[in-house]
Amino acid sequence: MTWEELSRQADEKGALVRELKASGDKEALDGALKALLAVKEELRSALEAAIAAETDPVKVEELKAKLPPAPKSKAEKKKESKDSEAAAANKKAAEEAKAAARAKKKAAEAAEKKAAPAAEKKAAPAEEKKAAAVEEKGAPAAAPKAKPAAAANDAPAAAAKALEHKSVALNKTLEVLFVKEHPPLLALLAARLAKTEVVLKRVEGAQLPHAATAVLLLPMGKGKLIGEGAIARYLARTALPAPSLLYAPSSDPFAVSEVDQWVEYAPKLLSASQPLAAALAVLDKALRMRAFFAGHSITIADGAVWIALRSHPNADKQISAATPHLLRWWKHVDALGPMATVAQDFFGIQRDAGSLEIPLPGAEMGKVVTRFPPEPSGHLHIGHVKAALLNAHFAERYEGKLLLRFDDTNPSKEKEEYEHAIIEDLKRLEIRPHKVSHTSDHFQAIMDIQTKMIEDGLAFVDPSTQEEQKALRLKKLPSPYRDQSVEENLRLWKEMQLGSEEGVKCCVRAKICYDSDNGAMRDPTTYRCNAIPHAQTKDKFKCYPTYDLACPIVDSLEGVTHALRDRQYSDRDHQYRWFLENLKLRDVQLWGFSRINFVRTLLSKRKLQWLVDQGRVEGWDDARFPTVAGVLRRGMTVQGLKTFILNMGASKSSCLMEWSKIWATNKNEIDLKAARYTCLLKDGLVTCHLTGAPPEPFALSINLHPKDETLGRKIRFFSDSVLLQADDAAGLQVGEEVTLMSWGNVIISEVVKDVEGNVTSVHARLHLAGSVKSTKKKFTWLAQTPELTDLTLVDFDFLLNKDKVDEDDNIEDLLTPVTRFDFAAKGEPSLRQLKKGEIIQVERRGFYICERPYIRASDPIVLYFVPDGKNMFGVKRG
């Protein structure tokens, strides 16, 4: 048996030992340990023989590195036991000494307190109460009265005592006090990774204990922690779910120590005194066989390395193809939301098109209220996502509220089914509004305000036709009804409310400035009639406010403090402020951001509805649609979508974006979590007969992901007859050595072709001792067994054939004739365990999302290709 096979057996038996340790089955564990030791001994002998036969010094070192440690002798074990006992005894003695010191200190403090003058004892509570009140208001503490000379030199002790007093001031949240010059970046990053609410307070160094730059105060005076490392570890350990994913579980001392190692080692490794290239090489090597620096998910070890890299001048710029493993890790970790926030706050990093750290005028912590006001006339699409996420982000950042308000001012378009769809889409985006309301909730209040506007001469009723109004507005001329009497305006306004024959011909217009250069200020329409029953108010109203009037009124009435909205409304900002000012409403701050526009993409709800109605797509959740439901069905992840949008920030610059950017961001999210499987297209399969393989098929349990065993395992079948893709077999030469992925090397002994030169079969000899690193060709394969699974791999093209859609374009002229491509395939049997919506990576083909899982043998599994930023198709077509 080769050393490679023995190494694989050792790994499997080692995994079994770990499982039995966790289960507590001692009898089975003893047997498994013996078997593991036996295999390791055989592996050692096989490796020593391979080392003796090897002439290449580099390969010799590689083989030596694989040697298992020699078993310890009884003498060594006995010495370790004695050392352990001695260490335990020393630890116990140290603890007893500490306890004695504490008791002595406590007795001294009690004696000192007893000897203090009674008058001083009476004054202390009042002074403390006054100091606490001053501190709570944020004012500087009053200068202390003169002290005895002995006490004057005890500043550190006084600071510690003041901090001890503050810790019992019944703070109800975690508070981190830190010196402005030394922000505790690792602690702040740990809080954001753990999604733990922490109140940050910059203080002067004199307010903290001696030599401390950061202190964590626990709620309700439960205690305090001093030092950035201690704070970061506490926040990581207490993160949910438990056991914390940000810190190794306490039951695994090695994993705990590994996290601690990087927390301490990273700043030293990347200090200015160390060669940067050498430091990056060390980090790259550490990530060669793993996704993260410690454990199988991000921990504060990764946070410590990331901060060290960000703190080092130009370190991030020198992470390149020369350090591929570090580059992979860097792209993933640096794109995470908590890292982005810290990078912007403390390293001045501006992300892509903009920054989220925009100055919200008048923003106060705990008082910010934002709103997302979609019209319930369709499903949310990619253009809405930015508005929803930005409003949610700032509400969360300022510990405020996000309101979801349905702008249902036009009963001709709105449907309740769309409201339910929007709420579900927001849930998918992990957005939980503080409150859900409708503009229609305020119809009566808006109508009363409109009446007051007419009475005050701020509005008039215009019975002229839309064409006449449009013509005069374009010429900057006033309506002939602009100066009619208030009495006539009120009469017509009443007819509008009744929905009479005369009233339905009228609309109400605000009297602003008919000749303004800004078209939105030219006496805009504020009310119009509509006889269609409203989804919420039914037949109660016959006329409805326009968005222009309703939006500022309802924003003010509902307590919105900051309205973040698409820059397409920028010409209406003056109009918005005019309404607030002239109607004497509470002020609302406006901030405009650019909308997202993608090439070859429709965002018009009317045109998307036409595609649905015409049966050109399956529905609003079609995988080719730019709706939230559509892109998620295509394989976009919520985190990928959020990362892309939030990294764009609240920029005001507009551009037409390629889809490759958002899919590349998504790839960073799925690459480390997607299980690996093998599929081959049915069109052109070639049988490869292997000599040297066991005559009977066999199965092994292997990891679903080569770098993360926590994702689970799958059963992989092996056989002396395997299937290859015809394209791979076409270029094979006799004597050539190639690699069968997840198995080993083979040497080609014969290539059989038909009269047309197509390869019909291949014969090869298994050569597991060969180095997989030395081969240029690495093939996916499937064992030729009856258990193979039928699949359909689906590719999609863009619905449109034009990058930028103009308003006057005929949609039918822009449609791509064929946009869905189905390919029959065979896959390994373990694909039957896939669930709908699960994303996997098909080896050498790309990422796929499971659209239809395995139900029965007659119905193939359906997988949709997930673009990765470079490839939009999983099957290359000529």
Side-chain angles (χ1 to χ4, degrees):
M1 189 177 294
T2 64
W3 68 263
E4 290 93 342
E5 293 171 332
L6 289 168
S7 179
R8 185 173 64 249
Q9 285 190 17
D11 290 341
E12 292 174 356
K13 293 186 183 299
L16 178 60
V17 167
R18 288 191 291 273
E19 291 176 6
L20 291 172
K21 281 183 178 179
S23 67
D25 189 344
K26 189 174 185 306
E27 184 176 347
L29 176 61
D30 291 341
L33 280 171
K34 289 179 182 179
L36 175 61
L37 292 174
V39 171
K40 283 190 173 183
E41 191 58 35
E42 289 184 45
L43 174 60
R44 169 175 284 279
S45 300
L47 282 169
E48 288 174 347
I51 291 169
E54 184 59 63
T55 57
D56 186 344
V58 175
K59 291 185 177 179
V60 167
E61 291 302 317
E62 290 179 355
L63 290 170
K64 285 183 178 179
K66 299 178 185 297
L67 282 170
K72 295 177 182 178
S73 64
K74 290 183 178 180
E76 288 175 327
K77 291 181 179 179
K78 188 174 181 181
K79 183 177 183 302
E80 282 186 359
S81 177
K82 286 184 178 181
D83 291 344
S84 177
E85 291 175 1
N90 291 336
K91 183 179 180 180
K92 184 176 180 182
E95 289 176 350
E96 290 175 351
K98 286 181 181 179
R102 284 196 297 268
K104 183 177 180 182
K105 182 179 178 181
K106 189 173 182 180
E109 289 175 351
E112 182 181 351
K113 186 176 180 181
K114 188 175 180 181
E120 185 177 337
K121 284 199 289 184
K122 289 181 180 179
E127 288 296 322
E128 289 181 355
K129 186 174 182 181
K130 182 180 178 181
V134 172
E135 183 175 349
E136 189 172 339
K137 291 178 182 178
K145 295 181 179 180
K147 295 181 180 181
N153 296 324
D154 197 17
K161 187 174 182 181
L163 187 63
E164 187 70 36
H165 169 69
K166 181 171 177 58
S167 69
V168 296
L170 299 183
N171 55 303
K172 296 181 180 180
T173 58
L174 292 168
E175 290 186 7
V176 174
L177 313 182
F178 64 94
V179 179
K180 181 179 180 181
E181 295 77 14
H182 301 285
L185 297 183
L186 184 58
L188 301 182
L189 186 58
R192 285 167 181 169
L193 286 169
K195 297 182 180 179
T196 300
E197 183 179 346
V198 175
V199 176
L200 306 176
K201 291 187 178 180
R202 293 184 175 91
V203 298
E204 298 298 326
Q207 294 178 252
L208 299 180
H210 179 62
T213 58
V215 173
L216 174 70
L217 302 180
L218 272 61
M220 306 304 291
K222 292 181 180 178
K224 67 175 183 291
L225 291 171
I226 299 174
E228 176 181 3
I231 298 171
R233 288 178 174 89
Y234 173 80
L235 294 172
R237 285 189 177 106
T238 55
L240 296 175
S244 170
L245 299 177
L246 290 177
Y247 209 85
S250 57
S251 59
D252 189 347
F254 176 77
V256 172
S257 300
E258 197 173 30
V259 173
D260 290 337
Q261 164 192 279
W262 284 107
V263 169
E264 297 176 7
Y265 181 48
K268 298 176 183 176
L269 176 66
L270 288 157
S271 68
S273 61
Q274 298 295 327
L276 180 58
L280 297 181
V282 170
L283 296 175
D284 187 69
K285 185 177 180 181
L287 291 167
R288 184 173 57 184
M289 296 299 292
R290 62 195 311 168
F292 300 98
F293 281 98
H296 304 292
S297 62
I298 192 165
T299 66
I300 56 171
D302 299 282
V305 176
W306 179 84
I307 289 172
L309 287 167
R310 273 276 170 229
S311 302
H312 194 290
N314 300 319
D316 62 315
K317 297 178 182 178
Q318 295 192 33
I319 302 172
S320 63
T323 53
H325 309 297
L326 180 60
L327 180 62
R328 163 183 50 78
W329 171 88
W330 177 260
K331 285 183 177 179
H332 173 71
V333 172
D334 194 52
L336 297 177
M339 273 67 175
T341 307
V342 172
Q344 289 164 353
D345 287 347
F346 298 98
F347 295 107
I349 305 299
Q350 301 299 315
R351 298 288 178 153
D352 296 338
S355 167
L356 281 175
E357 306 311 309
I358 63 173
L360 291 181
E364 294 183 46
M365 192 64 68
K367 296 182 179 180
V368 169
V369 179
T370 63
R371 89 289 193 265
F372 177 56
E375 183 181 15
S377 57
H379 291 234
L380 292 187
H381 58 58
I382 195 76
H384 299 117
V385 171
K386 184 172 183 178
L389 287 175
L390 287 179
N391 278 287
H393 169 80
F394 286 109
E396 180 180 355
R397 181 167 182 247
Y398 286 95
E399 300 175 12
K401 299 174 183 177
L402 167 68
L403 308 180
L404 169 61
R405 181 173 74 241
F406 289 108
D407 174 39
D408 55 348
T409 57
N410 188 351
S412 300
K413 293 183 179 181
E414 289 115 24
K415 295 180 181 179
E416 287 192 72
E417 65 178 88
Y418 293 138
E419 290 190 16
H420 298 311
I422 289 170
I423 290 173
E424 287 304 311
D425 285 341
L426 291 177
K427 285 181 180 178
R428 291 188 183 103
L429 295 173
E430 299 173 354
I431 294 176
R432 301 288 187 269
H434 176 77
K435 180 183 177 182
V436 179
S437 65
H438 296 76
T439 299
S440 57
D441 298 339
H442 306 276
F443 274 175
Q444 188 59 57
I446 299 171
M447 185 168 281
D448 293 342
I449 290 173
Q450 181 69 93
T451 302
K452 186 72 163 55
M453 287 179 67
I454 294 173
E455 292 173 345
D456 293 345
L458 295 175
F460 65 98
V461 180
D462 194 337
S464 57
T465 65
Q466 289 187 7
E467 291 75 15
E468 291 172 336
Q469 292 180 34
K470 183 178 181 181
L472 291 173
R473 284 167 59 87
L474 288 174
K475 295 177 183 178
K476 298 183 182 180
L477 296 175
S479 165
Y481 302 96
R482 193 175 197 270
D483 295 323
Q484 68 189 358
S485 67
V486 171
E487 291 74 20
E488 178 63 10
N489 283 327
L490 289 173
R491 186 189 73 79
L492 291 173
W493 171 230
K494 187 174 182 179
E495 294 298 319
M496 286 181 64
Q497 294 177 59
L498 293 172
S500 68
E501 184 177 351
E502 182 182 19
V504 296
K505 297 177 182 178
C506 302
C507 70
V508 182
R509 297 174 64 183
K511 196 183 293 186
I512 302 180
C513 182
Y514 64 83
D515 58 353
S516 172
D517 290 335
N518 183 346
M521 301 293 282
R522 296 175 195 165
D523 296 353
T525 301
T526 56
Y527 253 91
R528 70 273 190 263
C529 288
N530 194 325
I532 297 176
H534 192 280
Q536 300 292 329
T537 60
K538 309 305 179 187
D539 296 319
K540 181 177 181 180
F541 300 99
K542 307 299 182 184
C543 57
Y544 300 93
T546 61
Y547 178 83
D548 289 341
L549 175 67
C551 184
I553 291 176
V554 180
D555 279 350
S556 185
L557 294 178
E558 291 192 335
V560 174
T561 62
H562 295 80
L564 282 75
R565 59 185 198 170
D566 197 315
R567 285 192 67 226
Q568 66 172 313
Y569 299 111
S570 60
D571 60 342
R572 284 175 158 76
D573 287 353
H574 291 298
Q575 180 196 92
Y576 184 101
R577 294 190 180 94
W578 186 91
F579 282 121
L580 290 180
E581 181 180 344
N582 285 273
L583 301 181
K584 296 179 173 55
L585 297 170
R586 183 187 55 80
D587 191 32
V588 179
Q589 297 288 345
L590 292 176
W591 182 275
F593 56 82
S594 64
R595 72 179 305 169
I596 299 179
N597 291 298
F598 285 98
V599 297
R600 300 171 74 175
T601 302
L602 280 176
L603 294 181
S604 164
K605 289 182 181 179
R606 178 176 56 83
K607 293 176 180 178
L608 292 174
Q609 183 70 62
W610 183 86
L611 289 173
V612 174
D613 293 341
Q614 294 294 314
R616 302 297 182 97
V617 291
E618 296 177 11
W620 282 91
D621 65 344
D622 189 283
R624 292 159 291 187
F625 252 28
T627 54
V628 170
V631 295
L632 293 180
R633 188 178 176 190
R634 182 75 179 271
M636 178 65 63
T637 62
V638 171
Q639 189 56 49
L641 194 58
K642 292 173 71 174
T643 299
F644 177 78
I645 298 295
L646 296 181
N647 281 351
M648 283 185 63
S651 168
K652 295 188 177 185
S653 59
S654 299
C655 60
L656 194 62
M657 305 185 70
E658 296 285 347
W659 277 97
S660 58
K661 291 185 177 180
I662 192 170
W663 286 117
T665 301
N666 189 59
K667 180 189 175 183
N668 291 335
E669 297 296 330
I670 63 179
D671 187 26
L672 298 176
K673 305 170 186 175
R676 272 47 169 175
Y677 290 94
T678 299
C679 298
L680 300 178
L681 297 180
K682 276 187 179 181
D683 184 15
L685 291 176
V686 174
T687 301
C688 177
H689 304 281
L690 298 174
T691 59
E696 296 295 328
F698 64 98
L700 292 176
S701 175
I702 64 175
N703 288 336
L704 281 169
H705 193 294
K707 295 181 180 179
D708 191 349
E709 63 182 23
T710 63
L711 291 178
R713 300 174 72 81
K714 66 177 181 179
I715 299 299
R716 183 71 191 263
F717 285 83
F718 298 77
S719 172
D720 62 352
S721 177
V722 300
L723 297 174
L724 302 178
Q725 202 72 70
D727 292 345
D728 291 338
L732 290 175
Q733 302 292 328
V734 174
E736 186 177 12
E737 186 169 357
V738 299
T739 297
L740 299 182
M741 296 172 64
S742 300
W743 194 350
N745 288 1
V746 298
I747 298 174
I748 307 302
S749 54
E750 183 182 3
V751 179
V752 181
K753 299 182 180 180
D754 60 17
V755 292
E756 296 179 353
N758 298 317
V759 178
T760 57
S761 65
V762 175
H763 294 264
R765 176 172 56 87
L766 203 61
H767 182 51
L768 297 180
S771 172
V772 297
K773 294 182 180 180
S774 62
T775 56
K776 293 183 180 179
K777 297 178 180 178
K778 295 174 172 57
F779 296 157
T780 49
W781 56 275
L782 291 171
Q784 200 165 18
T785 63
E787 291 84 3
L788 290 178
T789 303
D790 287 322
L791 302 100
T792 300
L793 304 182
V794 182
D795 281 355
F796 293 104
D797 200 352
F798 291 104
L799 288 170
L800 304 184
N801 56 32
K802 183 180 180 183
D803 279 357
K804 189 177 186 299
V805 181
D806 297 320
E807 188 63 33
D808 56 350
D809 281 334
N810 182 358
I811 185 66
E812 291 191 74
D813 296 337
L814 304 182
L815 293 179
T816 306
V818 181
T819 57
R820 174 173 174 145
F821 307 88
D822 291 13
F823 300 91
K826 286 283 187 181
E828 54 184 291
S830 53
L831 282 162
R832 294 175 185 173
Q833 68 189 23
L834 289 184
K835 299 176 182 177
K836 182 176 174 61
E838 186 175 350
I839 297 176
I840 65 170
Q841 183 177 21
V842 175
E843 298 280 10
R844 295 180 64 217
R845 193 163 294 283
F847 297 97
Y848 285 82
I849 183 169
C850 181
E851 168 65 15
R852 185 175 69 198
Y854 180 81
I855 301 173
R856 61 184 69 88
S858 59
D859 295 330
I861 297 170
V862 177
L863 303 179
Y864 286 177
F865 180 73
V866 182
D868 58 11
K870 292 183 179 179
N871 303 307
M872 290 299 293
F873 303 101
V875 179
K876 295 181 180 178
R877 298 185 291 279

